[in-house]
Amino acid sequence: MRYAILLLDAPYTSQAAHSALRFTRALLAKGHVIDGVFFYHDGVHNAARLAAPPQDEPHLVDAWAELGREHAVPLQVCIAAALRRGLLDEQEAARHGKQGCSVEPPFELTGLGQLIDLGLRCDRLITFGP
């Protein structure tokens, strides 16, 4: 079965990001296909390059990035929500005259059209968040 994940909540503000990550890993372990994870609203903070949680807590940004690299799962971040919250990739940082970028690769900034596409292509779109 083909799945897409929609994450609406920031890491460490609720259980949503951690639950989404564990659910996605469980799906992959069962042999399902993850067409993409879309980060929207405060969920875009899961792509924050400068996140530095205490060492005794899971590093959710690194965990999502590792999952994306290991399983070739696209990690798509809503560009409008990201820009509003100060998250920029290199291209957007240059476009807005900022000196640094704050989105961790392999996360990529995309539009809501990508979310609609995920919803149309997949058998299930599972939402985590408030």
Side-chain angles (χ1 to χ4, degrees):
M1 189 170 280
R2 303 177 75 91
Y3 283 88
I5 306 297
L6 173 61
L7 180 52
L8 302 172
D9 211 0
Y12 314 112
T13 58
S14 75
Q15 188 64 31
H18 196 258
S19 295
L21 179 64
R22 291 179 54 137
F23 182 78
T24 304
R25 284 183 177 155
L27 289 175
L28 290 167
K30 292 286 186 183
H32 295 288
V33 174
I34 307 296
D35 276 15
V37 179
F38 195 87
F39 300 89
Y40 192 38
H41 293 277
D42 284 341
V44 300
H45 289 291
N46 286 277
R49 165 180 271 169
L50 301 176
Q55 291 181 349
D56 61 341
E57 293 181 15
H59 197 304
L60 293 176
V61 176
D62 287 353
W64 279 114
E66 180 182 312
L67 181 136
R69 287 185 192 107
E70 286 182 4
H71 300 283
V73 173
L75 303 175
Q76 302 170 337
V77 180
C78 174
I79 189 170
L83 293 177
R84 284 188 191 106
R85 291 163 176 85
L87 293 167
L88 303 97
D89 61 9
E90 289 183 21
Q91 182 180 358
E92 289 301 316
R95 189 166 79 93
H96 292 280
K98 303 294 182 183
Q99 291 188 347
C101 62
S102 53
V103 172
E104 176 76 19
F107 293 93
E108 59 180 324
L109 298 182
T110 62
L112 286 177
Q114 299 300 319
L115 175 60
I116 293 169
D117 183 55
L118 280 173
L120 293 173
R121 279 189 289 130
C122 295
D123 300 310
R124 300 283 187 271
L125 173 64
I126 309 295
T127 302
F128 292 85

